[in-house]
Amino acid sequence: MSQPPSSPSTGQRPALRSMDAGQGQSRFQVDVVAEAAAASRAAAGGTATPATGSKPAGAEEAKGRFRVVGFLDPSSGPPNNPPEATDFAQNSDTVKSEASLYSSGQTHFSDTHSSTYYMRTFGHNTIDAVPNIDFYRQTEATLGEKLIRPSLSELHDELDKEPFEDIFANGEEFTAMEGVPSKEKPESKGTSVKFGWIKGVLIRCMLNIWGVMLFIRMSWIVGQAGIALSCAIILMAVIVTTITGLSTSAIATNGFVRGGGAYYLISRSLGPEFGGSIGLIFAFANAVAVAMYVVGFAETVVELLDSVDALMTDELNDIRIVGTLTVILLLGISVAGMEWEAKAQIVLMVILVAAIFNFFIGTFISTESKEPMGFFGYNAAIMMENMGPDFRDKETFFSVFAIFFPAATGILAGANISGDLADPQVAIPKGTLLAILITGVVYLGVAVSTGSCIVRDATGDHNDSIPIPNVNCTDAACTLGYDFSICKEGGCKFGLQNDFQVMSMVSAFGPLITAGIFSATLSSALASLVSAPKVFQALCKDNIYPGLGVFAKGYGKNNEPLRGYLLTFFIGLAFILIAELNIIAPIISNFFLASYALINFSVFHASLANSPGWRPSFKYYNKWVSLVGAVLCCVVMFVINWWAALLTNVIVLALYIYVSYKKPDVNWGSSTQALMYNQALSHCLHLTGVEDHIKNFRPQCLVMSGYPNSRPALLNLVHAFTKNVGLMVCGHVRTGSRRPVYKEMLNDQLRYQRWLLKNHTKAFYTPVFAKDLRDGAHYLLQATGLGRLKTNTLVLGFKNNWRDGEMKDVEIYINTIHDAFDLQYGVVLVRLKEGLDISHIHGQDELLSSQEKAPGMKEFVVSISLSKDSDSDSSKPSSKGTSAQSSPLIHKDPKHPIVPLSVADQKLLEASQQFRKKQGKGTIDVWWLFDDGGLTLLIPYLLTNKKKWTDCKIRVFIGGKINRIDHDRRAMAALLTKFRIDFSDITVLGDINTKPKKSSKEAFEQMMEPYRLREDDMEQEAAERLKAQEPWRITDNELELYRAKTNRQIRLNELLKEHSSIANLIVMSMPLARKGTVSSALYMCWLDTLSKELPPILLVRGNHQSVLTFYS
């Protein structure tokens, strides 16, 4: 016996090495092939291992059993296996993941615990896989291949070798690499460019936030608001952007982020309605922002041209010309690819930073030549004088804030290219928040610096100097030797209040500030030109708005949206040619703020929903802070421009309503869904603690519909009086002798629930497996519902074909009704003379939506092979049937035309649709013969409240005595009036107990004859034995005992034909049969006789608890 290998020292990892034949294996290194071979040798009495090409039976069995595992069999490997593959095959603890198999050269080997593809798990021969990131990827994952873990049925179901033997009939076996679908293999289109947090987010955000405002408006803001309020304005803006940045970081770290920026973050959090509306206006805002920044650049260039008298035409047209040339240049950089755009941004960043440093250096270099223009260097007197506000020209704190705040936007510049970031979850939080911090500090520094060394007003004239000291000085300039008091009368061109180019004057090298202005405008324009197409492409890929899919296509290794670039170019060019952006600018700012508000609200909403899927790795957020941020964004929108804020809200609301109406077929697990679930659960629990009250009773129907599309008339009629009123559950009992396939049933449940939603039917579909209809209905009657949302009324289709089938089915059908009464359910039977079941008609419904159609399938035809007009909702496949026969058969039918329908089927189809259309003027005849609590009257009332039935009037028929007809009519009218139920007529039937016609009685006798026991014609013992075997048979004693009740049913049918033959619908009290006394056949004869040859009829029997009240 070989000794076990020594254990490795603590903390050391066992070396992975190939195991030689005969070498002892550890208990964690079990080789399936070696085990099988050893077993074979033992069975053969210790014979040698078979030569290559002949495998022992055990190995064959092991191979067949573990086919999906994809083991590499060293004995069957090709002779030209690379060394790595041989080592891989011989070492039972070394496996490859799909990702490693795709890697170049197949050089990477990983341990079982880190990447397992259905191979050995902890050295044991099982297909149970260990946790692996590739199992959790989405199908469209771009960063790795999606693996599919073993299904529960593969691990749990009984082992079936036949499929394995069929697949590997030639004795070969797939390796892990071969088992991967070809579509999962990455396409080698070239390496895409991915950016880190500095180049992708930090630089991009800083360039966008540092706009023209920094150089040509910051000094004016300080002049108006003073140092203190200017810092307050900057801090307010930073607070708003910081909260938004924290919210953005939380969303961005709650899972993998794809391209689409703000649209992606909002849509995946709040759903397509908010995401779709914001995505469109955010992309448009970025496109127009291109024009804003380019026009700002062009205005600066034209001013320089004008200063040297070099205008080409006039000022306005020169702006258009320079702007057009600039946007064409920017388009060229963008189309060249993200790599070139990033390089351009770095160059612009260097220039901008140099300009900022140039200004700060200049503040320390005070020269006499600049003093007449108001610059004296850092001085405490100037700082104190500029500390407070000096608002002029009707400016206020909020108007100045509205001018500054657009300079603080641009924090989403990095998030907008989320698809081009190497690790968005790290890059977006780090880059965005750091950019807000750096830019905020610089803005504060510029505000303090300008306010500390430049006076508000200066003449620019050296002759305004005065001797020092001057005892009559009242301002800082006077103490420094200048008298600028003349500026109080207006007309001065220098100082913080008057000169927008004061930073150029202060800086060490003036032209560098101009270069900084160029850099700020061009970088912002470039960022917007890139952001708009990226966001728009993501929006178009999701197909939220039909017709925009043409812009979803990407080109090149980076999937560049070239069509989006062109669209953005033309939008920007159009607004550049307008060259008047003062009106559009506040709308654009509000568009950005609306996006910020929704990002903040997304975090609040997701936190409030408390979904287990909300697990951002960024922890420095708070839902209430995010809510405050959302409110602040909305407030700032109205502060900037109230009419632009209103217009923004109207546009967002209109787009929200449009997307909600269109209901795009997407499911992103939004917080809206999570909150909806929370609210539904909370309401259900709260409702459970509330006692039922008659006033709040509503019929909550369990409709034994089978497949929902097989009995449309039944579905439509019940839906007419339960829609927006009560619960409706489509129950389906699936029967069959073979073993139930639960996975198939679950798939059908999802498919038919979608079918109900697609057909706007507010109902649930609930299938069960059972041995027969009665057992299945019993399961549903007991278990359907949740708390107070529990069914209370069973709805069955009448069994029109009961005489053609086996009587045991009738016994099951009638006992199902008895069971419902036992469980205190009301019962409704629906009968149409044409029948209800249309499932045998091919092509009657298109079950699958267009999204479910397989490639190449142009048409689906559903065929459910059930007996016509069956009440049973169960599917009964033949004994030779496959699993597909228990559900609708889906045929690809591109060639075979649908067989023309028979006359009967044509009538059946027409009848099945009669409740979908509006009912004309007519009547609903209510035959309220027995007081069942009022359900017989409540259902017609609910129907007449619906638009399709509003033209129908209720006529009430009651039983009575001939000598009390007027009294009974008045009593019923009084009762209906107290119930507040409108009626057009009340008819008292005094001749119910009149004997029926002879022909009617003979027809009943003929119907009943095959089911009689006729115990008088046989011995008592034989009769009892036959009755025990066939309990549905009608005994002579029973027939005589219920002779009067039988005659009443025959007579009522005659009266129904006389009074209600042209009614739109008949609702009638259903006769009851005492359980265990009245046989199923006799009860079925009663129901059939009562309801035959009539318009659509509902036989209703409540549970004899009041459902109507006249008390308030």
Side-chain angles (χ1 to χ4, degrees), residues 118 634 663 689 724 730 1031:
Y118 294 13
C634 294
K663 290 184 175 63
N724 299 329
C730 297

Side-chain angles (χ1 to χ4, degrees), residues 685-798:
L685 291 171
H686 181 69
L687 197 61
T688 305
V690 179
E691 292 293 330
D692 286 333
H693 194 280
I694 299 173
K695 288 193 294 184
N696 292 325
F697 175 87
R698 50 197 70 212
Q700 305 198 117
C701 299
L702 172 61
V703 186
M704 305 303 289
S705 63
Y707 292 109
N709 61 335
S710 63
R711 294 172 177 82
L714 179 65
L715 210 66
N716 295 332
L717 181 58
V718 178
H719 186 244
F721 64 81
T722 59
K723 181 182 179 182
N724 299 329
V725 174
L727 176 68
M728 177 177 171
V729 178
C730 297
H732 182 187
V733 180
R734 300 181 62 163
T735 63
S737 57
R738 62 182 179 82
R739 184 177 63 183
V741 183
Y742 292 104
K743 185 176 181 180
E744 178 187 313
M745 184 180 73
L746 293 174
N747 289 337
D748 280 350
Q749 184 171 7
L750 294 173
R751 185 183 305 135
Y752 282 103
Q753 191 63 56
R754 283 199 298 269
W755 184 90
L756 289 168
L757 291 172
K758 179 184 174 183
N759 286 271
H760 308 292
T761 302
K762 296 183 178 181
F764 300 95
Y765 171 66
T766 306
V768 293
F769 271 115
K771 68 177 183 180
D772 56 39
L773 173 67
R774 182 184 184 184
D775 277 359
H778 209 264
Y779 301 155
L780 292 169
L781 289 167
Q782 293 180 85
T784 301
L786 188 67
R788 295 290 181 195
L789 294 178
K790 187 172 177 61
T791 52
N792 54 30
T793 305
L794 176 68
V795 182
L796 288 165
F798 184 77

